[in-house]
Each structure stands twice: as C-alpha cells, then as structure tokens.
Amino acid sequence: MPSPKRITAMASKELFHILRDPRTLAIIILMPVLQLIIFGYAMNLEIRRVPLLIDDQARNASSERLINAFSHTPYFQIVPANQRRLEPEELFKERRAQATLCIPVDFGSASQVLLLKIDASDPNSAQLIQSYAQGIIASGFPASLDLRPFILYNPDLKSSFFFVPGLVAMILVMICALLTSISISREKELGTLEQILVSPVSAMEILLGKVLPYIFLGLADALLILGVGMLLFQVPFRGDFLVFLGFTFLYVLCSLCLGLLVSTLAKTQQAAMMMALGITLLPTLLLSGYLFPIPSMPWLLQKLTYIIPARYYLQIIRGIMLKGNSISELYQAGISLGLMSIVMLIVAVKRFKLRLS
Amino acid sequence: MIETINLNRKFGSFTAVDNLNLKIDKAEIFGFLGANGAGKTTTLRMLCGLLTPTSGTITVNGLNVVKNPEAVKRSLGYMSQKFSLYGDLRGIENLQFYTGIYGISWTAAKTNIKSLISQFDLDKYLKLKTSELPMGYKQRLSLVCALVHNPPLVFLDEPTSGVDPKARREFWQVINELAYRGKTVIVSTHFMDEAEYCNRVLIMQAGREEVCGNPLQLKQSHRVATMQQLFLKIAGADNAQS
Ligand SMILES: Nc1ncnc2c1ncn2[C@@H]1O[C@H](COP(=O)(O)OP(=O)(O)O)[C@@H](O)[C@H]1O
Ligand SMILES: [Mg+2]
C-alpha cells in the first residue's frame, strides 16, 4: 500500500526543487508563453495591411467614402497611386500591391459595380482579401452596391478559434511530459536516486510523489496559456470554467504519466528530453486532429489517433471554449484520458527499476 | 548478521566481484579495503539490495536480500560514495526528506539524531543550503541522513574520501561509537591506515578476497608493521604471479 507520508516527503522535496531552480521555472512559465506567441503568430492565418491600390476614376463623394472605409481597417494599407498609371499585373509583379480596387467614372450615380483585382499567387491570402473587401462593403454601404453580403463571419477570428485550443493542448502535453521525465532522469544522473532506492520506498510512491506537485503546475500552466491566448488572440470561452479545470486536470495527469513512462526508458536528462519532445510534438501536431481532420486520415492513422491524448483533449477544449459543451457531451473523452493515465502509471511503476543496473 | 555465499557480480563479461564468502557479526566494524576498481562499491551495493548479484546469495538477519528487499532496506542506513544529498535543499530539509521516505515521524527522527548533530557540530549548518557546506560537513550530514531511522546496520562507502585528516579521525570516532551502541558498521576505504579502526578488514583486489581478518593479527602473521606494507606485499605477490 503506498504510504501518504512517503509520497508527501517525495512531493514536498520536489516542490523545493521546482521553486529553487530558475531553469525549471523558466520551462514552466516562459516556454509556454513564448511558444504560444511564436506558434500563434506563425500559424495565424489572418493577414493584415494588404497593400491595396485604389484607382479612383470617379473622384466624388461616394468614392471618397468608399476609400475611407478601406483605409480605416487594419486589413488594407492604401498604396499611394503614382503619377504614371500602372496596370495591376505590373504592380503585382513588383509586389507593390496585392490587390487593386477600380472605381469607375460614374460610380455613385449610374454604376454600382466595383472591380477588385487580387493577386492570387497565394490562393489562401486571395480568398481572405476577397472576404475582407466584401465584409467592408457589406457593413457600410447601401445594398444596391453590386456585392453579395454572405460574409457575416470574421475569418480572422476563425483562425484563432482554430489554433489557440490546439496550442493549449500541444504545449501542455509537451511541457508536462518534459517535466516528469527530466525530473526523474536528473536524479538518475546525479546519483541521488541511489540514496532513495536504498530506502524502503516503493516505485509507486516515488512516481506519485513526482507527479503530484507537477499537477498543480500543469494546471497553472494551462490557465496561463489559455489566458495569454485569449488576451492576444481574442478567443471566446463559452463553457463552464470548472468543467474546463476538471478535464484539464485529466489531461495534465495523462501527460505527466507519459513523462513517467519516458523516464523509465531514458537514462540521461538529454535522452529524456529528446524522447519526451519526440513522442509529443509531432504526433500531437499531426495525429490529434489539430492540423488534419481525423475523418479524412487513412484508416491506420485514424486508429493510431486513439492513443494520442491530445485527440481527446482537443475535443474537450474546443467543445468547452467554442461550443459551450458541458460534462454530458465530453465525459467519454474524459474517461479515455483517465484510463490512459492509469494504464501509463501502472506500466511506469512496473518498469521502474528499484535496483541499479 | 550478514552472510554471503559465493557472491558474484558481472558487468557484461567483466567480473567486478568474484566469489565472495563473508560472515559479518553484529556490532562489528567491518572494513573493505582496496584500490579504486577493486569492487568495494559493487559489493556494498549488493549487500544493500541496490544491485542484484549475478550469482550467490546474501542473507541479512536471516533474510534473503534479493527476496525480501523491503524488510532488509528498513534495517539499514547507506551512505553512497558519491555525495548524493540534494544541494538545493537546506540541511534540515534533507534530513526531513529522508525521515519522510523512511515513513517515520520527525519527532522520532530528531531523538535518533540529536546527539549526533551536536557531536558533529552540525547545528548551525542545518539552515544552510547543502551545496554551500564545506566538504567535511557534507559528509557528516550524509551520515546523519543515513541514520534518521536508527538502523541496526550501517553501510558507509568511502565516507572519508575528500576529507582532511582531522575530520577523518572525528568521523572514525563517531563510527566507533555507532558500533559501541550495537550497530554493525560496514565501511569501505582506500586509506590503508583506516584499517586500524576496524575489527576486521577484507582486502579486495580485482573483485577477489585477498586476505580477511583482524588488522593486528594480519600484520603479525604477514610480519609487517603497517597495513600499507601488508597491502603492498599482497599487491606485489599478485603482480609477481601474473
Ligand atoms: N554499472 C557498472 N557497469 C559496468 N561496470 C561497472 C559498473 N559498476 C562498476 N563497474 C566496474 O566494476 C569495477 C569495480 O567497481 P567498484 O565496485 O566501483 O570499485 P571500488 O568501489 O572498489 O572502487 C570497476 O572496474 C568498475 O569499472
Ligand atoms: Mg567505490
């Protein structure tokens, strides 16, 4: 039977290490925030300050209002028109503009047609530019203007909806797996584990003592990443906070147990670090449904996603943040995370060697 | 108290401990002597249940170490050769940690180690971070940590290496008192002069027992004045053979 006294001794010692080691603290606090910002801005599908040239042939009140509307959004930056009139194709080639808007001479009176030419060498950006332009016109101009007001949705928001929950899932599993695996392999390297192993403490007690303090840290980290993500990328949080905390606890536990498993394989801190990153980073990115939808994967990969903790957590966090899901819609994913934690803990305990080799 | 039969340990094809047969009595100070690489640490680790023997048996108090590791571990204290307390913990926190993993209360531990702490003059050092202690005090603290649970059996692996001669003498004084209080002390060293403090010594070379016995009797029977000379004689004989 694991003794609470021994587990507490292990856990409080671990807490001292964490609080007194600036390196661990940096991993815990700085790494997730930096990752979020770097990944966040790199993966942000939104584009801003698209260079736009407006060819205003009307030069009347209506056209001025239109130009104003375009110049007062962060999406477009109006390129000053040169004396020499350039064809859009030339502008695109010189990368001076990514789009041109042509306002015909009789705009505002006879004609209501605008011509928007877009550089489509990057089709994704082109699509976004088109949506932005349509959005601007739809929101400030009479419906008689020739356009179809189908964009009620901000594509900018859509991309951060997509990447912030995914990043929370990815960063958490990475950090948690790193923390426990490094903490154990460091004791192997320093030789302090030998002094523990000579005591009657059991593998279960050692591992539980290692996991406990990191659960709180993992949860704190989750809140930190979430907070920064919501602040920087304006993601909503529609569900219940306590439900989120409960499921995140399971995910953190699962990730920490993954780290324990790694520590039973790695002899050095460096090996533990490589292994922990190796089994969390790419699998989470590719197989959790984060970047690629699971239903469109080949059969074998689909089956493989069942052992990726982030697969379940992504379902949970997207459900809570975006759809306001409650426990009844998410409990199956939660049970999966709980079961995976238990299985990994048991395997780690079985594999953990109470003897030197 | 401790008995081994044909104790062997191999690392791959290399034999680190070769067919040791030991009998160590209660309240005895038993020394393992030998140069670096002789197999002292490997032997001590096997006696503590930290390493499994490749072959042979070890019984401690009638219990097989391999089969009953927990019960055996409860009855022993061990100080490893490499300093292995936590440098970022204060002295007192290290003590409390080892108290905790032996599952005993801090009050009980304090009564176990109070006299030792004052004898070692450790009181004022307990508030400091362990990494900041002078080497001699690190070793003393390690010994106290190994004794929080008042074990009847104490294993000390080269406790005096890296310590000045005066501190070494003090250390041996404490070891003597431990034995006087009925504890069995098994100690390893590569300082031949320290053999004089032991009731019995076993000189090891390349994993094998060269001689074993009371230092005084060994010196007489080999007609040498010091243990150093005895060791050189044995090593010389060994070299001549090979
Ligand atoms: N884990 C190990 N793996 C391989 N060889 C080892 C291991 N531990 C010890 N040895 C070897 O066994 C021999 C005896 O080592 P050791 O018991 O540490 O000697 P001592 O403590 O007397 O200096 C040495 O040659 C050492 O290199
Ligand atoms: Mg040694």
Side-chain angles (χ1 to χ4, degrees), chain B residues 35-93:
Chain B
N36 277 333
K40 306 180 294 292
T41 299
T42 308
T43 308
L44 256 57
R45 280 178 173 166
M46 284 194 288
L47 298 182
C48 294
L50 273 173
L51 262 180
T52 5
T54 308
S55 64
T57 54
I58 310 167
T59 47
V60 172
N61 270 336
L63 287 173
N64 186 310
V65 174
V66 178
K67 289 180 186 142
N68 307 285
E70 262 214 59
V72 172
K73 282 175 177 179
R74 241 178 262 282
S75 68
L76 65 88
Y78 171 76
M79 179 178 158
S80 79
Q81 175 175 1
K82 195 172 162 212
F83 174 75
S84 53
L85 300 183
Y86 298 97
D88 55 339
L89 262 57
R90 295 175 219 286
I92 189 98
E93 290 161 350

Side-chain angles (χ1 to χ4, degrees), chain A residues 256-312:
Chain A
L256 291 171
C257 290
L258 191 63
L260 294 183
L261 212 52
V262 167
S263 77
T264 65
L265 296 165
K267 281 206 167 74
T268 63
Q269 289 185 68
Q270 188 141 31
M273 198 181 306
M274 302 300 283
M275 247 187 262
L277 286 180
I279 61 169
T280 54
L281 189 64
L282 280 184
T284 303
L285 212 54
L286 303 178
L287 291 177
S288 66
Y290 179 24
L291 289 189
F292 307 113
I294 295 171
S296 61
M297 290 176 188
W299 178 86
L300 188 67
L301 288 187
Q302 279 194 31
K303 296 295 160 205
L304 213 55
T305 63
Y306 285 106
I307 58 164
I308 308 288
R311 174 213 158 103
Y312 304 103

Side-chain angles (χ1 to χ4, degrees), chain A residues 3 5-6 9-10 13 16-18 20-21 187 189-202 205 354-357, chain B residues 45 48-52 65-66 69-70 73-74 76 78 80 82 84-86 88-90 93 97-98 100-104 129:
Chain A
S3 127
K5 195 175 244 151
R6 292 194 198 136
M10 284 296 299
K13 170 202 74 109
F16 283 132
H17 292 328
I18 299 164
R20 289 178 191 169
D21 178 17
E187 294 218 36
E189 238 179 85
L190 291 179
T192 49
L193 194 63
E194 183 175 344
Q195 201 65 54
I196 295 179
L197 294 184
V198 84
S199 80
V201 72
S202 70
E205 289 160 346
L354 281 174
R355 293 200 172 88
L356 306 170
S357 56
Chain B
R45 280 178 173 166
C48 294
L50 273 173
L51 262 180
T52 5
V65 174
V66 178
E70 262 214 59
K73 282 175 177 179
R74 241 178 262 282
L76 65 88
Y78 171 76
S80 79
K82 195 172 162 212
S84 53
L85 300 183
Y86 298 97
D88 55 339
L89 262 57
R90 295 175 219 286
E93 290 161 350
F97 168 66
Y98 286 106
I101 61 170
Y102 278 96
I104 58 171
K129 272 199 186 167

Side-chain angles (χ1 to χ4, degrees), chain A residues 13 29 37 114 120 262 278 294 300 310 321 337 340:
Chain A
K13 170 202 74 109
I29 296 168
I37 292 173
L114 292 166
V262 167
I294 295 171
L300 188 67
M321 289 179 69
L337 285 178
M340 278 178 82

Side-chain angles (χ1 to χ4, degrees), chain B residues 46-199:
Chain B
M46 284 194 288
L47 298 182
C48 294
L50 273 173
L51 262 180
T52 5
T54 308
S55 64
T57 54
I58 310 167
T59 47
V60 172
N61 270 336
L63 287 173
N64 186 310
V65 174
V66 178
K67 289 180 186 142
N68 307 285
E70 262 214 59
V72 172
K73 282 175 177 179
R74 241 178 262 282
S75 68
L76 65 88
Y78 171 76
M79 179 178 158
S80 79
Q81 175 175 1
K82 195 172 162 212
F83 174 75
S84 53
L85 300 183
Y86 298 97
D88 55 339
L89 262 57
R90 295 175 219 286
I92 189 98
E93 290 161 350
N94 266 305
L95 282 170
Q96 283 166 339
F97 168 66
Y98 286 106
T99 304
I101 61 170
Y102 278 96
I104 58 171
S105 76
W106 178 232
T107 345
K110 270 195 293 195
T111 47
N112 289 341
I113 57 176
K114 207 166 71 198
S115 64
L116 209 57
I117 286 178
S118 55
Q119 190 179 350
F120 266 156
D121 197 22
L122 261 175
D123 268 309
K124 55 180 179 294
Y125 289 100
L126 289 182
K127 289 186 286 293
L128 293 181
K129 272 199 186 167
T130 308
S131 58
E132 290 160 5
L133 295 183
M135 192 57 198
Y137 282 90
K138 281 184 182 168
Q139 295 295 86
R140 295 175 192 196
L141 185 63
S142 299
L143 177 60
V144 180
C145 281
L147 295 172
V148 283
H149 55 303
N150 197 19
L153 243 175
V154 186
F155 291 87
L156 309 173
D157 196 359
E158 305 217 11
T160 53
S161 60
V163 176
D164 64 79
K166 179 170 168 284
R168 269 170 60 195
R169 265 196 306 282
E170 282 171 12
F171 217 92
W172 274 101
Q173 206 171 338
V174 170
I175 292 173
N176 251 319
E177 281 167 37
L178 292 176
Y180 181 75
R181 289 188 353 227
K183 293 190 193 303
T184 310
V185 184
I186 291 125
V187 59
S188 79
T189 179
H190 62 262
F191 296 113
M192 293 301 146
D193 57 321
E194 291 188 340
E196 315 282 353
Y197 297 108
C198 302
N199 302 115

Side-chain angles (χ1 to χ4, degrees), chain A residues 2-267:
Chain A
S3 127
K5 195 175 244 151
R6 292 194 198 136
I7 296 172
T8 317
M10 284 296 299
S12 45
K13 170 202 74 109
E14 205 59 35
L15 208 58
F16 283 132
H17 292 328
I18 299 164
L19 297 178
R20 289 178 191 169
D21 178 17
R23 268 196 338 189
T24 317
L25 278 180
I27 292 187
I28 294 169
I29 296 168
L30 284 181
M31 206 165 113
V33 174
L34 281 180
Q35 278 174 335
L36 183 66
I37 292 173
I38 292 168
F39 278 121
Y41 283 112
M43 295 180 72
N44 201 340
L45 296 180
E46 165 207 3
I47 48 173
R48 276 167 193 266
R49 300 170 70 86
V50 174
L52 171 77
L53 187 108
I54 299 184
D55 181 10
D56 183 6
Q57 298 171 4
R59 292 183 189 278
N60 55 22
S62 304
S63 76
E64 196 171 319
R65 204 161 81 78
L66 192 71
I67 293 170
N68 251 329
F70 272 89
S71 52
H72 281 101
T73 65
Y75 307 121
F76 292 105
Q77 189 176 32
I78 311 296
V79 177
N82 267 3
Q83 283 81 354
R84 192 166 62 89
R85 294 256 314 267
L86 283 174
E87 287 305 305
E89 286 76 13
E90 284 179 66
L91 288 167
F92 295 162
K93 267 186 204 153
E94 291 175 14
R95 303 190 129 266
R96 282 193 42 222
Q98 242 180 312
T100 62
L101 181 70
C102 181
I103 308 173
V105 182
D106 49 359
F107 179 73
S109 48
S111 168
Q112 296 282 46
V113 181
L114 292 166
L115 180 64
L116 180 70
K117 284 196 174 177
I118 303 169
D119 174 2
S121 56
D122 172 2
N124 279 333
S125 305
Q127 194 118 41
L128 285 173
I129 293 167
Q130 187 190 349
S131 313
Y132 291 153
Q134 279 173 323
I136 290 168
I137 289 169
S139 61
F141 292 87
S144 57
L145 258 181
D146 191 356
L147 47 86
R148 269 166 296 156
F150 68 87
I151 312 261
L152 297 166
Y153 208 57
N154 186 343
D156 160 26
L157 282 182
K158 194 178 164 199
S159 73
S160 69
F161 279 25
F162 156 80
F163 75 75
V164 169
L167 278 182
V168 176
M170 199 175 83
I171 295 173
L172 265 187
V173 72
M174 246 167 67
I175 301 254
C176 289
L178 271 179
L179 285 175
T180 40
S181 62
I182 288 183
S183 140
I184 292 176
S185 51
R186 179 173 51 203
E187 294 218 36
K188 282 189 200 171
E189 238 179 85
L190 291 179
T192 49
L193 194 63
E194 183 175 344
Q195 201 65 54
I196 295 179
L197 294 184
V198 84
S199 80
V201 72
S202 70
M204 182 64 111
E205 289 160 346
I206 295 177
L207 297 185
L208 283 181
K210 287 277 177 188
V211 158
L212 273 181
Y214 290 114
I215 288 181
F216 295 100
L217 281 171
L219 280 178
D221 243 359
L223 298 184
L224 181 72
I225 305 168
L226 185 72
V228 174
M230 287 169 68
L231 214 69
L232 288 182
F233 303 108
Q234 284 85 43
V235 193
F237 191 96
R238 304 207 167 104
D240 189 290
F241 181 70
L242 282 180
V243 175
F244 171 78
L245 217 54
F247 281 108
T248 302
F249 162 80
L250 287 175
Y251 183 57
V252 165
L253 182 68
C254 195
S255 311
L256 291 171
C257 290
L258 191 63
L260 294 183
L261 212 52
V262 167
S263 77
T264 65
L265 296 165
K267 281 206 167 74

